[in-house]
Amino acid sequence: MTILFTHAQNALRTDIEVKKDSIDVLINIARRLESSKTLSAAETYYTRAFNLAKSTNDNFQILTIGLRLVEFQIYQSGNYNDAEEVLNDLLKYFTKNKNQNGIVSCYIDYGRLHQKKQHFVSALKHYNFALEAVESVTDNNLHWRVYTARGNLLRILGDDEHALKDFKNALKYVNKETSEYDKSLTYINMSSAFEKIQLDSCIYYSELAALKCSPKTNLRYCNLAYNNLAWAYHLKGNSQKALNIINTNVDLNKVEYGSFDNLYAALMHTLGVINLNLNAYDKAITHFETSQEYFIKRNDIFNIVQTKEDLSKAYEKVGKLKES
C-alpha cells in the first residue's frame, strides 16, 4: 500500500505540474494578444488560465491569475460586470479557506473596480474594508498597497491632508532594502499630495523620488517624479526650468502609454501648460490634443474636462475661436 500511495502522490504531483505549465502557456498567449490589442481573445485566454488555476487548489496561483484577469477586465476590456463576478468568486474562495491575504487583495481590487467606474463612495468603502482586514496580516506589501490605494482615491476626492497621512503610513511598510520602486512611488504620491499644501515639499519629495534616477533612463517612477517636479516648478512661476527638467530627463519617444496610469497623458498635459505659459502656443496645442486623446481612451472625465479647458485657452491665443 505504501508503494501504491507513493505512486498516487507522484501522479498527483505530475498532474499539478502539468496544469501549472499549461497555465504559463495560456498566460503567455494572453499577454501577447493583449500587447497586440486583440483584447477579446486575450480575455478568453486569461479566463482559461484562471479556470485551470482554480483546479490546482494553489492559493497563490489562484490569487495571482485571478487578479491578473480582474485587472485586465477593469483597465483593458472594460468588462466591469465580469470583473466583479471574478472578485466575488475569489472572495468566496478565500473566505472559505480563511486566507486573509487573499481577502485583503480582493477588497483592494473591489475598490479599484468601483474607482474606475467613478463610484467613489463604494470604492472608499472597500478600501476601508481592506484596511480592517489587513490588520491581522504580516505581509508589509499588502499594508503598503492598501494605504497607497486609499490615499490615491482621497487625492482624487480633493482630501489631500488625509491622503498625505495614508501615504506616510504606506512609507512605514516599504522594505527599504528591496523595494526601491515602492519607496520612490510613495515619495511621488506624497509630492502630489503637497501640491496644494506646500510647493517646496512637493519639490522635495519629487527630488527624493528621483534621487537614484539617471537622465532619460525611461524608468516609470523616474518619469513620474520628473513630471511632478516640473509641474511644481511651473506652479512656482518658473516654467522655463520646468521645461528644462522634462527635456533633460525624459525621453518622450520611449514613454509608453500604460493601462494602469496616466503617465504619458500627464506628461503631455504638463508640457502643454508649460508651453502655453511660455507663449509657445502651437506646441501647447499639439501637447494638449495628444493628452486629450489618451485621456478619452481611459474615459478619465476629470482630466478630459481639464485638458479641454486648457486647449480652449491655447486656441484662443492663436485666434482659433471656433475650436475654443
Side-chain angles (χ1 to χ4, degrees):
M1 287 300 291
T2 302
I3 294 174
L4 288 173
F5 180 67
T6 302
H7 284 167
Q9 278 187 316
N10 288 338
L12 178 61
R13 187 181 299 112
T14 301
D15 182 51
I16 291 173
E17 288 171 354
V18 168
K19 285 180 179 179
K20 288 184 177 179
D21 288 342
S22 299
I23 290 169
D24 289 340
V25 170
L26 292 170
I27 290 295
N28 286 333
I29 293 172
R31 284 173 175 164
R32 288 199 295 272
L33 289 166
E34 182 179 357
S35 296
S36 66
K37 301 302 179 185
T38 314
L39 300 185
S40 179
E43 186 167 357
T44 297
Y45 278 93
Y46 279 130
T47 302
R48 286 175 59 187
F50 176 53
N51 289 334
L52 191 56
K54 286 192 290 185
S55 69
T56 67
N57 292 320
D58 182 327
N59 286 343
F60 178 78
Q61 197 78 314
I62 292 169
L63 182 63
T64 303
I65 305 303
L67 294 185
R68 183 69 194 88
L69 172 59
V70 167
E71 288 173 359
F72 177 87
Q73 291 168 329
I74 293 173
Y75 297 106
Q76 292 283 30
S77 67
N79 290 334
Y80 301 143
N81 290 338
D82 291 344
E84 189 150 19
E85 285 183 13
V86 174
L87 282 172
N88 291 342
D89 193 10
L90 286 170
L91 184 60
K92 182 179 179 181
Y93 173 84
F94 288 116
T95 300
K96 180 181 178 181
N97 287 276
K98 298 181 180 179
N99 186 304
Q100 202 70 2
N101 286 32
I103 292 170
V104 173
S105 295
C106 288
Y107 281 137
I108 292 172
D109 268 25
Y110 273 120
R112 295 170 72 181
L113 170 62
H114 289 286
Q115 185 171 329
K116 189 68 169 65
K117 294 166 68 176
Q118 298 186 39
H119 297 167
F120 297 130
V121 173
S122 184
L124 183 59
K125 179 180 73 173
H126 283 94
Y127 290 144
N128 287 338
F129 286 158
L131 271 175
E132 291 175 11
V134 84
E135 289 180 3
S136 60
V137 172
T138 58
D139 185 342
N140 282 351
N141 183 254
L142 266 182
H143 286 264
W144 179 85
R145 285 176 57 202
V146 176
Y147 279 115
T148 297
R150 192 176 72 168
N152 282 323
L153 175 61
L154 291 171
R155 276 279 293 127
I156 291 172
L157 297 176
D159 190 351
D160 292 329
E161 290 187 8
H162 284 99
L164 188 57
K165 288 181 181 178
D166 275 356
F167 296 143
K168 287 180 177 179
N169 280 324
L171 193 61
K172 297 175 186 176
Y173 291 99
V174 172
N175 185 329
K176 295 175 176 59
E177 285 72 37
T178 60
S179 300
E180 191 64 37
Y181 178 83
D182 289 350
K183 181 169 67 174
S184 294
L185 197 60
T186 304
Y187 286 146
I188 289 164
N189 288 333
M190 291 173 73
S191 77
S192 298
F194 271 118
E195 177 193 335
K196 295 177 182 177
I197 300 172
Q198 192 175 31
L199 280 177
D200 287 339
S201 292
C202 180
I203 291 171
Y204 172 75
Y205 283 106
S206 297
E207 289 176 338
L208 270 184
L211 202 58
K212 295 190 177 181
C213 297
S214 300
K216 306 205 174 183
T217 54
N218 198 39
L219 292 173
R220 176 180 174 273
Y221 78 84
C222 293
N223 289 335
L224 283 165
Y226 291 132
N227 177 74
N228 284 15
L229 188 58
W231 185 253
Y233 274 109
H234 159 71
L235 292 177
K236 288 200 76 172
N238 196 340
S239 293
Q240 187 58 58
K241 182 167 185 175
L243 184 61
N244 291 342
I245 288 169
I246 293 180
N247 287 342
T248 301
N249 296 291
V250 180
D251 187 344
L252 293 170
N253 294 320
K254 292 182 179 179
V255 177
E256 296 181 358
Y257 170 72
S259 59
F260 294 97
D261 64 54
N262 286 330
L263 174 57
Y264 184 75
L267 278 164
M268 291 296 103
H269 180 261
T270 297
L271 283 168
V273 173
I274 290 169
N275 278 287
L276 180 61
N277 204 49
L278 293 173
N279 302 326
Y281 302 128
D282 289 337
K283 287 183 180 180
I285 288 170
T286 299
H287 290 308
F288 284 142
E289 288 177 340
T290 303
S291 177
Q292 183 172 250
E293 175 188 345
Y294 282 97
F295 282 135
I296 289 173
K297 284 182 181 179
R298 285 179 56 82
N299 193 32
D300 189 331
I301 304 301
F302 175 81
N303 281 308
I304 291 171
V305 172
Q306 182 62 59
T307 305
K308 185 176 178 61
E309 290 176 357
D310 292 332
L311 183 57
S312 294
K313 294 175 186 175
Y315 279 141
E316 288 177 7
K317 293 291 185 180
V318 296
K320 294 184 178 181
L321 300 179
K322 288 185 179 179
E323 286 88 345
S324 63

